[in-house]
Amino acid sequence: MAVTDEAITKIKDMIISGELSAGDRLPPEKELSEKLGLSRSSLREAVKALEIIRVLDVRRGDGTYVTSLEPKLLTEAMTFIVDLHQDETILEIFEVRRMLEPAAAATAAARITPQEIVALRATMDNIDEQTSVESLVQHDLVFHQLITAAANNSYLTSVLDSLSSSTVRARIWRGLTQEKAVDRTLSEHTAIIEALERGDAELARSLVTVHISGVEHWLRQAL
Amino acid sequence: MAVTDEAITKIKDMIISGELSAGDRLPPEKELSEKLGLSRSSLREAVKALEIIRVLDVRRGDGTYVTSLEPKLLTEAMTFIVDLHQDETILEIFEVRRMLEPAAAATAAARITPQEIVALRATMDNIDEQTSVESLVQHDLVFHQLITAAANNSYLTSVLDSLSSSTVRARIWRGLTQEKAVDRTLSEHTAIIEALERGDAELARSLVTVHISGVEHWLRQAL
DNA sequence: TACAGTCTATTGGTCTGATGTTTGTTTCGC
DNA sequence: GCGAAACAAACATCAGACCAATAGACTGTA
């Protein structure tokens, strides 16, 4: 194995073993490179790789730290990857979303707080027939993120956020070509909010399924 | 933005824009570093970062290539990250699995082929009371991977595979402490296979839900 | 004393150039 | 035509130099 990959593995092991914990500062590059037995240049390649997947946080003039390692940080790394995997497999992404979002909504129905309900309703303000397509898409994105967040599961949030980001474009297409997108989106969202507020998990699940399937169905025809 | 991060963005953009496609070879390091306006060392850091998330494939003595970018490649990158996010949030991982695996099984029920059924049955050979815990865990892992694969969705496979890797440890614990693990696992797996064979999506969904929940329930008590 | 500004040691950021190692290709003898 | 040797191309690694940002110590002033 190349020295750089060895260094990546060693640093990873230091974290898994607990020798390094979240928030800990690594030794300076010079020192660490000597300890691991490789040059500073090669070590820097390893650090850069770990930085891009949000395992390390490098602060110039200060030092290099282990990140909080919260599942939330998975999002950025996953999004980066998913961004490169677009178009041809977008239907597969929708299929996964159709599995997760209804389940997330059902879970949220049991856990959602009154404050979160208020926040959900707030996303629907200032949305009407004059709303731009971009705004509508943004509203829809936030709406789904709020529901996911209400399910209170960091991994779920990470996975769904990263899968959703790449579908923004698809939603824009829909907005551009399908009439009454605003009306339909608002009424569907309203129904979902009411189901969540009543704690009706099964209805929330079905409504979200229908909502996602609507976009998916249109996409399937368009492609 | 640092020159290295700029280089990462530029290479990523070259892929998204289509200037570079899957399988394409990048210019030599020296040439590309001049084109992007940075030193070879810094460029190498960028390339290493993209290599670890399986976007680039560096072949010593040959050149650097864009990978196939298949969703499958997402797995390794995600697994790397999930591996570091263990223990404290393992229940959240199980919750996501409990959302996805039953849905995957229901989808598989409609798509599964006779060959895949045979493969599923084969995983149960050579498993009995004398089987080691490690073998049982391995068998269970393969069993679920086969079902996921039968759902025929690369993204689903990627996400589930990476989430499952980190739960292997939990399964081992279960095997070590819970009696009749072999019996129970075999009978549950048998039932799932029969439901899939009959194309009974709803039964498959429920059986998998029960199966996953069993482990999750035990884990919740143990923690 | 408290505060603001300055200075400095530390640490990461970048570059250059040399050398080693691997791989693919070409050449040449048989 | 085939295989081995030589060659060229490309990545792997290193050493050392200098730049730039930051945190923390220091200092002068109110």
Side-chain angles (χ1 to χ4, degrees):
Chain A
M1 194 192 291
V3 291
T4 301
D5 295 304
E6 267 179 47
I8 291 176
T9 305
K10 283 179 184 170
I11 295 173
K12 186 182 167 187
D13 288 345
M14 285 164 81
I15 296 176
I16 291 179
S17 73
E19 184 178 342
L20 285 174
S21 301
D24 282 0
R25 176 172 163 176
L26 272 66
E29 290 182 349
K30 180 163 169 40
E31 193 179 317
L32 184 58
S33 65
E34 286 165 2
K35 179 181 171 187
L36 299 181
L38 76 171
S39 72
R40 207 185 135 211
S41 333
S42 300
L43 173 67
R44 278 183 59 77
E45 290 180 22
V47 169
K48 194 75 204 178
L50 291 171
E51 186 190 11
I52 206 184
I53 58 175
R54 310 289 161 180
V55 169
L56 296 182
D57 178 21
V58 181
R59 303 178 205 160
R60 183 175 186 172
D62 182 1
T64 301
Y65 298 79
V66 178
T67 67
S68 63
L69 292 178
E70 288 168 11
K72 184 179 70 180
L73 298 171
L74 227 167
T75 310
E76 291 182 67
M78 265 194 77
T79 303
F80 191 103
I81 300 172
V82 172
D83 271 354
L84 295 169
H85 288 158
Q86 288 207 53
D87 297 336
E88 72 271 12
T89 45
I90 199 167
L91 280 175
E92 291 193 6
I93 292 183
F94 258 93
E95 198 172 47
V96 178
R97 285 192 58 205
R98 185 157 47 82
M99 292 175 179
L100 280 178
E101 300 237 17
T107 305
R111 297 180 182 170
I112 201 164
T113 65
Q115 293 79 34
E116 289 170 325
I117 294 282
V118 170
L120 271 177
R121 285 201 200 286
T123 65
M124 302 181 60
D125 293 344
N126 306 315
I127 302 284
D128 56 34
E129 290 298 337
Q130 272 70 52
T131 302
S132 71
V133 172
E134 287 72 22
S135 297
L136 184 64
V137 165
Q138 191 56 33
H139 149 76
D140 191 52
L141 195 61
V142 171
F143 182 82
H144 285 283
Q145 281 175 341
L146 282 174
I147 293 179
T148 304
N152 202 33
N153 181 317
S154 311
Y155 277 96
L156 180 64
T157 304
S158 289
V159 173
L160 269 180
D161 279 0
S162 35
L163 291 181
S164 299
S165 70
S166 67
T167 62
V168 166
R169 205 185 300 171
R171 288 180 183 162
I172 291 177
W173 296 338
R174 183 197 191 197
L176 287 173
T177 59
Q178 191 164 332
E179 303 221 338
K180 297 190 179 172
V182 174
D183 265 2
R184 181 168 170 185
T185 299
L186 284 184
S187 68
E188 286 181 354
H189 283 191
T190 304
I192 291 170
I193 292 176
E194 286 175 5
L196 288 175
E197 195 169 18
R198 288 207 313 276
D200 190 335
E202 279 317 305
L203 181 56
R205 183 198 302 275
S206 300
L207 285 169
V208 170
T209 302
V210 170
H211 186 54
I212 305 275
S213 298
V215 185
E216 191 184 352
H217 178 251
W218 172 84
L219 242 187
R220 205 175 287 273
Q221 285 187 314
L223 294 179
Chain B
M1 195 192 293
V3 291
T4 302
D5 296 303
E6 269 180 45
I8 291 176
T9 305
K10 283 178 183 170
I11 294 174
K12 185 182 168 186
D13 288 345
M14 286 164 79
I15 297 176
I16 292 179
S17 73
E19 184 178 341
L20 284 175
S21 302
D24 281 1
R25 176 172 162 178
L26 272 68
E29 291 182 348
K30 181 165 168 42
E31 192 179 316
L32 184 59
S33 64
E34 285 165 3
K35 180 181 173 189
L36 299 181
L38 77 171
S39 74
R40 223 192 114 210
S41 338
S42 301
L43 173 66
R44 277 185 59 78
E45 289 180 24
V47 169
K48 194 74 203 177
L50 291 171
E51 186 189 11
I52 205 185
I53 58 175
R54 310 293 162 179
V55 169
L56 296 182
D57 178 21
V58 181
R59 303 180 206 158
R60 184 174 184 170
D62 183 1
T64 302
Y65 299 79
V66 178
T67 67
S68 62
L69 291 178
E70 287 168 10
K72 184 180 68 179
L73 299 171
L74 227 168
T75 310
E76 293 184 67
M78 262 194 80
T79 303
F80 192 102
I81 300 172
V82 172
D83 271 353
L84 294 169
H85 287 159
Q86 288 208 56
D87 297 335
E88 72 272 9
T89 44
I90 199 167
L91 280 175
E92 292 192 6
I93 293 182
F94 258 93
E95 197 171 47
V96 177
R97 284 192 58 205
R98 186 156 47 82
M99 292 176 179
L100 280 178
E101 300 237 17
T107 306
R111 297 179 182 170
I112 199 164
T113 65
Q115 293 79 33
E116 288 170 325
I117 293 282
V118 170
L120 271 177
R121 285 202 201 284
T123 66
M124 301 181 59
D125 293 344
N126 305 315
I127 301 284
D128 56 34
E129 290 297 338
Q130 272 70 53
T131 301
S132 71
V133 172
E134 288 71 23
S135 298
L136 185 64
V137 166
Q138 192 55 33
H139 150 76
D140 190 52
L141 196 61
V142 171
F143 181 82
H144 285 282
Q145 280 174 341
L146 282 174
I147 293 180
T148 305
N152 202 32
N153 181 316
S154 311
Y155 277 95
L156 180 64
T157 304
S158 289
V159 172
L160 269 180
D161 279 358
S162 32
L163 290 181
S164 297
S165 74
S166 68
T167 62
V168 167
R169 205 184 299 173
R171 286 179 182 163
I172 291 177
W173 296 339
R174 184 197 190 198
L176 286 174
T177 60
Q178 192 165 331
E179 302 217 343
K180 297 189 180 172
V182 174
D183 265 3
R184 182 169 169 183
T185 300
L186 285 183
S187 68
E188 286 181 353
H189 284 191
T190 304
I192 291 169
I193 293 175
E194 285 175 6
L196 289 174
E197 194 168 19
R198 288 206 314 277
D200 190 335
E202 279 316 305
L203 183 56
R205 182 197 304 276
S206 300
L207 286 169
V208 171
T209 303
V210 170
H211 185 53
I212 305 275
S213 299
V215 185
E216 191 185 352
H217 178 252
W218 174 84
L219 243 186
R220 206 176 287 274
Q221 286 186 314
L223 295 179

